Amino acid sequence: MYSYMIGKVVSLNKKSITFENNYTGYVIYVSNPERFEINKVKKIYLYKHLSSGNKNNFLENLYGFENYETKELFLQLLTVSGIGPKTAINMCKNDVTTIRELIKEQNIEGLSALEHINQKYAKLIVECLGDVVKIQGINNGDVDVGSLVHALKSLGYMSNDIEFAIKQLNNADTKKMDLTDLISFAIKTIANSQANNSIVKTS
């Protein structure tokens, strides 16, 4: 799996760039090709999408991002039902900070006013990502909060419990923790909080 690649842009197209790395040219779909400079060496963050073709063969497309924040938003958009990589990369033409703020405010009208985001998508995005974006704003460290939130939500934890657990990460040494360790830490934190609340209620 690709995380990022360092090389140079050799050509710009309407929806993609050709990126040369180690004497190999890669066609990479990007949201704003005009922002890239030809022959300039740079790092580009990548996402590889596999899909089935007409003859049951697999097609591979690469999507690229100038920074990790945009890639993270792109990956979050893919978790929304009905949004695929082509739609998500177009949505990322908009300012990432603006999109996050509108999601956090649950501003469907503002979100739907942006390029490539209609009313239907705006509503789905707010419903699916509202809690994720809100909780991500709690921690400004190196923790992959988005993955942690999705993992805890899939385990059935409520948003207020997840928010409480992530706040506690600010007081913990998370530098050596991988995602599994973070999930375990969060589960223990939530369990301890619930146990303490139960003691208070029965005393």
Side-chain angles (χ1 to χ4, degrees):
M1 178 179 291
Y2 298 109
S3 177
Y4 63 84
M5 189 182 295
I6 297 175
K8 68 177 180 178
V9 179
V10 295
S11 68
L12 305 177
N13 302 295
K14 186 177 181 179
K15 297 182 178 180
S16 65
I17 61 173
T18 302
F19 196 76
E20 183 179 328
N21 169 270
N22 197 25
Y23 301 103
T24 302
Y26 297 86
V27 175
I28 302 175
Y29 293 96
V30 296
S31 56
N32 296 291
E34 68 279 0
R35 293 183 182 174
F36 293 84
E37 295 182 35
I38 294 178
N39 293 325
K40 182 177 181 179
V41 175
K42 69 177 290 128
K43 176 191 288 187
I44 184 169
Y45 292 87
L46 296 172
Y47 168 77
K48 181 170 69 173
H49 179 74
L50 294 175
S51 59
S52 57
N54 295 330
K55 298 181 179 179
N56 293 323
N57 58 325
F58 284 100
L59 303 175
E60 177 181 307
N61 289 320
L62 288 176
Y63 293 85
F65 313 90
E66 293 183 87
N67 51 66
Y68 182 77
E69 290 75 19
T70 306
K71 178 180 178 179
E72 185 178 45
L73 175 63
F74 172 86
L75 294 176
Q76 290 173 345
L77 290 171
L78 291 184
T79 67
V80 179
S81 177
I83 295 181
K86 292 182 180 179
T87 301
I89 198 71
N90 281 332
M91 290 179 177
C92 288
K93 289 178 179 290
N94 301 288
D95 178 68
V96 173
T97 301
T98 300
I99 293 177
R100 289 192 183 281
E101 286 301 316
L102 290 171
I103 295 173
K104 189 186 302 182
E105 296 168 0
Q106 299 188 346
N107 188 339
I108 295 175
E109 292 301 323
L111 201 58
S112 64
L114 298 179
E115 190 176 6
H116 299 289
I117 304 179
N118 58 30
Q119 188 84 8
K120 175 185 175 181
Y121 283 141
K123 185 177 180 180
L124 289 171
I125 291 169
V126 167
E127 290 177 350
C128 184
L129 301 180
D131 289 339
V132 175
V133 172
K134 177 184 175 183
I135 294 171
Q136 278 188 315
I138 297 170
N139 188 279
N140 57 6
D142 298 324
V143 176
D144 184 358
V145 178
S147 296
L148 178 57
V149 172
H150 283 302
L152 293 173
K153 286 178 76 72
S154 68
L155 291 172
Y157 288 99
M158 303 298 290
S159 297
N160 58 331
D161 290 327
I162 298 173
E163 184 174 342
F164 172 79
I166 291 177
K167 283 181 178 178
Q168 307 314 304
L169 289 173
N170 290 321
N171 302 319
D173 183 7
T174 59
K175 292 182 180 179
K176 296 181 180 180
M177 291 186 184
D178 58 17
L179 182 58
T180 302
D181 295 328
L182 291 169
I183 294 171
S184 297
F185 175 88
I187 291 173
K188 290 177 182 178
T189 300
I190 293 170
N192 290 337
S193 174
Q194 290 175 343
N196 291 335
N197 289 337
S198 178
I199 291 173
V200 171
K201 290 178 181 179
T202 57
S203 60

